[in-house]
């Protein structure tokens, strides 16, 4: 049986250190075109063989998100201006809102499902997700899907 590709979205704290080091090596190589893979791997404390083993299997969420739609759910307080703030924040990251579905607030909180199209931008879309999640009044944010 052939190996099928399945993708998962994880928070950084759930990713093994070796995979985070692979991402760091990739960043070093991208930033400094004169470094060899061996030199970059040594700088982050990773073996060259580990880099080659995982290099095609991990990448920052943003690298895979451009040109995609991302669907996420968030629970937030029912406060005037909070949704407007979140929508403006999304626009600042050059993401286009495709759908918004919000429940009727119960006990002062509403659940919201939103699908956005991630357009080309120098900004890091994972940073946008983190900033929305850290916004006062937002209880949590979960990425449900990312599709091309």
């Amino acid at each position: 049986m052939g190996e099928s590709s399945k993708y998962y979205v994880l928070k950084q704290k759930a990713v093994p250190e070796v995979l985070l080091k692979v991402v760091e090596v990739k960043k070093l190589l991208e930033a400094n075109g004169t470094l060899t893979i061996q030199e970059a791997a040594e700088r982050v404390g990773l073996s060259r063989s580990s880099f080659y083993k995982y290099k095609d299997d991990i990448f920052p969420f943003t690298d895979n998100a451009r040109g995609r739609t991302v669907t996420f759910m968030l629970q937030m307080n029912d406060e005037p201006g909070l949704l407007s703030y979140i929508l403006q924040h999304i626009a600042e990251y050059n993401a286009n809102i495709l759908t918004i579905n919000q429940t009727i607030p119960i006990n002062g909180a509403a659940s919201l499902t939103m699908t956005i199209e991630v357009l080309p931008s120098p900004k890091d879309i994972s940073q946008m997700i983190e900033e929305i999640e850290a916004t006062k009044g937002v209880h949590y944010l979960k990425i449900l899907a990312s599709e091309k």
Side-chain angles (χ1 to χ4, degrees):
M1 233 185 238
E3 183 180 318
S4 65
S5 293
K6 290 188 178 183
Y7 294 91
Y8 301 91
V9 176
L10 304 171
K11 290 192 176 193
Q12 184 173 345
K13 68 182 179 183
V15 179
E17 185 178 354
V18 65
L19 297 177
L20 295 175
K21 286 183 177 185
V22 169
V23 171
E24 286 302 311
V25 170
K26 287 179 165 186
K27 286 180 184 176
L28 281 173
L29 292 170
E30 189 177 304
N32 185 342
T34 62
L35 278 180
T36 66
I37 290 172
Q38 180 68 38
E39 292 168 333
E42 285 176 359
R43 283 189 186 183
V44 301
L46 182 71
S47 71
R48 201 171 130 243
S49 62
S50 291
F51 174 78
Y52 280 112
K53 182 177 181 179
Y54 297 114
K55 73 179 180 66
D56 295 327
D57 296 324
I58 184 158
F59 41 85
F61 176 67
T62 14
D63 292 352
N64 197 36
R66 285 189 179 90
R68 292 183 168 262
T69 59
V70 177
T71 302
F72 59 90
M73 181 186 139
L74 61 110
Q75 186 176 53
M76 55 189 249
N77 290 342
D78 180 30
E79 297 175 1
L82 183 56
L83 178 57
S84 176
Y85 172 81
I86 292 168
L87 296 177
Q88 180 60 39
H89 202 67
I90 291 168
E92 289 170 3
Y93 276 82
N94 199 31
N96 185 35
I97 297 164
L98 300 175
T99 65
I100 299 176
N101 296 304
Q102 181 178 335
T103 63
I104 294 174
I106 298 173
N107 295 328
S111 293
L112 182 93
T113 304
M114 185 180 306
T115 300
I116 62 172
E117 178 183 22
V118 181
L119 303 172
S121 172
K123 293 187 174 186
D124 182 351
I125 203 75
S126 61
Q127 181 69 33
M128 178 198 78
I129 298 288
E130 288 175 23
E131 290 171 4
I132 291 172
E133 193 172 34
T135 300
K136 183 180 178 200
V138 172
H139 299 255
Y140 63 84
L141 183 149
K142 292 183 182 177
I143 297 172
L144 302 176
S146 178
E147 302 174 18
K148 196 132 188 133

